[in-house]
Amino acid sequence: MTYRKQLLLLATAVIVLGASGAIASTALEPRAPQPDGEAHLGQAPAAVVARTGTKAPEKQKPCVVDAKLVPTCGLLWGVAPGAFTTFTPGQALRNFEGTTGRPADILHSYHRGDEAFPTAEEISAVQQPRKRILFANWKVAWNTTWADVAEGHQDARIDREAARLKAFPGTMFLALHHEPENEVRAGGGMTARDYAAMFRHTVQRLRADGVRNVVFVLVYMAYQPWCVKDWFADLYPGDDVVDWIGMDPYLYAKPGGYGFGDFSYLVDHTSDPDRWPGFYTWVTREHGNKPLMVAEWGVYEHAADPAQKAWIFSTVAQQIGRFPAIRALVYFDSPNAPKGDTRPDSSQPALGEFRKLAESGLFSVTL
């Protein structure tokens, strides 16, 4: 056979292969290996399904937030930075992010009475250099009582704040008088029912004033001795005025005693299941249609054994999958918190584990 005939036969074979549905190529052309389940050269995805019984992988949709700031997947990562320090919110946020290696999704701030908020500093901090969600905490009944607010005597205060909230460029979280359990009294306008009435009246007044860009959060202390009180259920103001439910649990890194434990202990501890099932268990039983936020959490350093705080941080990613209703974690970062030092970098072992948590794939929400 002549060389010209050999070339003619080879060209004919290539044309036949192309007509049969394969991608035409010469035998000398290299072919990259293909992972199982993906379309090989010369095969449509349907052919792969027939051969392997699996579909070609689809691109995963990004995690985003809905109108109530609930992520479609993943969790929101937040912080109350530099608490009990002189840093401005922007400075404290930059310090926290630089130390921990991850931008925050949520900036938590605190206000009371007639303080004007959101402040210019807060607005700047949640807009630059990337978008964040502002989470403001407002003690509307400052220097008065919950009953006084519920009865309409502080409506002018609420109306002034409504104007500021409407001017805020975006949607934000707002907690009303967080951790009310610690301030419940038998009378004097500060009963659990007074709190529920205050919360309800404030939300309804703000809505009547035209506030539409606020997601309301009821934040419990979640401290077991309060949770077993006979008035505890009276704090809840109603599903129609509560968008998220938050909890503010803390742990001690010193072993032994109340408050030492892992992440499961943090969010669902009980010392007597017959009296109290644990906060997470209780809230998902009673209000299972609400997303949950760990609105403050922290671990107090135990200087004698820094490995304990590091260990506690290491349990978060391991265990949070057991608590699917939790959609946001907001750390309380302070060198001078009431019970000690909660900073994630209070020791190098603690910082190492906290950075692992921050860098994990749990917090993948696009704002």
Side-chain angles (χ1 to χ4, degrees):
M1 183 181 295
T2 65
Y3 178 67
R4 180 175 293 181
K5 288 183 178 180
Q6 288 176 339
L7 288 178
L8 181 59
L9 287 173
L10 178 60
T12 303
V14 170
I15 293 170
V16 171
L17 283 171
S20 68
I23 297 177
S25 65
T26 69
L28 299 176
E29 189 174 291
R31 297 177 63 179
Q34 300 293 321
D36 225 6
E38 293 185 3
H40 290 238
L41 284 173
Q43 288 182 311
V48 178
V49 174
R51 181 178 61 80
T52 66
T54 60
K55 291 184 179 180
E58 297 179 0
K59 186 177 180 181
Q60 185 176 357
K61 293 182 180 179
C63 300
V64 295
V65 295
D66 66 14
K68 294 295 185 181
L69 301 179
V70 181
T72 56
C73 54
L75 293 93
L76 295 168
W77 172 259
V79 64
F84 300 107
T85 70
T86 59
F87 291 115
T88 66
Q91 291 172 327
L93 182 62
R94 288 190 293 273
N95 292 344
F96 177 83
E97 292 179 337
T99 298
T100 60
R102 185 187 191 92
D105 299 316
I106 297 172
L107 171 64
H108 197 176
S109 65
Y110 300 82
H111 300 281
R112 57 197 185 188
D114 288 313
E115 291 179 9
F117 73 94
T119 67
E121 174 81 12
E122 290 167 351
I123 294 172
S124 175
V126 298
Q127 291 182 319
Q128 299 295 335
R130 66 187 295 274
K131 182 180 179 182
R132 299 178 179 85
I133 301 169
L134 181 63
F135 177 20
N137 198 307
W138 185 30
K139 290 194 172 184
V140 60
W142 191 251
N143 290 329
T144 185
T145 65
W146 293 331
D148 188 57
V149 174
E151 292 165 5
H153 302 306
Q154 297 297 324
D155 282 356
R157 173 180 286 179
I158 296 172
D159 294 343
R160 287 191 295 270
E161 184 52 39
R164 302 180 192 114
L165 294 173
K166 287 192 293 183
F168 177 73
T171 302
M172 59 178 283
F173 289 117
L174 180 63
L176 297 175
H177 210 113
H178 73 309
E179 303 179 6
E181 304 101 305
N182 202 40
E183 298 183 50
V184 169
R185 303 291 181 266
M190 295 293 286
T191 68
R193 290 183 179 180
D194 290 328
Y195 173 79
M198 177 279 299
F199 193 108
R200 185 171 191 83
H201 177 80
T202 303
V203 172
Q204 291 178 332
R205 184 77 183 186
L206 289 172
R207 287 175 176 170
D209 284 339
V211 175
R212 299 290 182 268
N213 60 334
V214 168
V215 175
F216 295 99
V217 188
L218 171 57
V219 180
Y220 292 92
M221 182 178 285
Y223 177 52
Q224 180 176 304
W226 293 137
C227 297
V228 297
K229 297 291 186 180
D230 57 5
W231 45 257
F232 182 73
D234 293 336
L235 291 167
Y236 195 73
D239 281 352
D240 59 327
V241 292
V242 175
D243 297 312
W244 283 62
I245 294 177
M247 64 176 97
D248 286 358
Y250 287 80
L251 291 173
Y252 295 89
K254 183 179 180 179
Y258 186 93
F260 173 77
D262 55 10
F263 183 75
S264 294
Y265 184 107
L266 178 78
V267 299
D268 207 29
H269 167 70
T270 178
S271 59
D272 185 355
D274 292 334
R275 294 188 66 204
W276 177 247
F279 189 84
Y280 180 89
T281 299
W282 171 81
V283 76
T284 51
R285 285 178 184 174
E286 297 296 321
H287 307 289
N289 62 328
K290 300 297 180 183
L292 303 188
M293 174 191 299
V294 185
E296 287 181 17
W297 72 284
V299 181
Y300 297 115
E301 180 62 86
H302 178 45
D305 187 1
Q308 296 294 341
K309 187 170 183 176
W311 167 73
I312 293 170
F313 286 154
S314 75
T315 69
V316 180
Q318 297 169 9
Q319 298 176 0
I320 197 167
R322 305 175 193 173
F323 308 99
I326 295 176
R327 309 310 307 278
L329 289 179
V330 184
Y331 196 77
F332 192 82
D333 165 46
S334 176
N336 304 303
K339 300 295 179 63
D341 187 349
T342 64
R343 291 175 301 172
D345 60 335
S346 56
S347 73
Q348 282 303 311
L351 178 59
E353 289 298 337
F354 197 85
R355 287 181 70 99
K356 289 179 185 178
L357 173 63
E359 293 165 1
S360 73
L362 294 168
F363 311 100
S364 56
V365 182
T366 300
L367 300 179

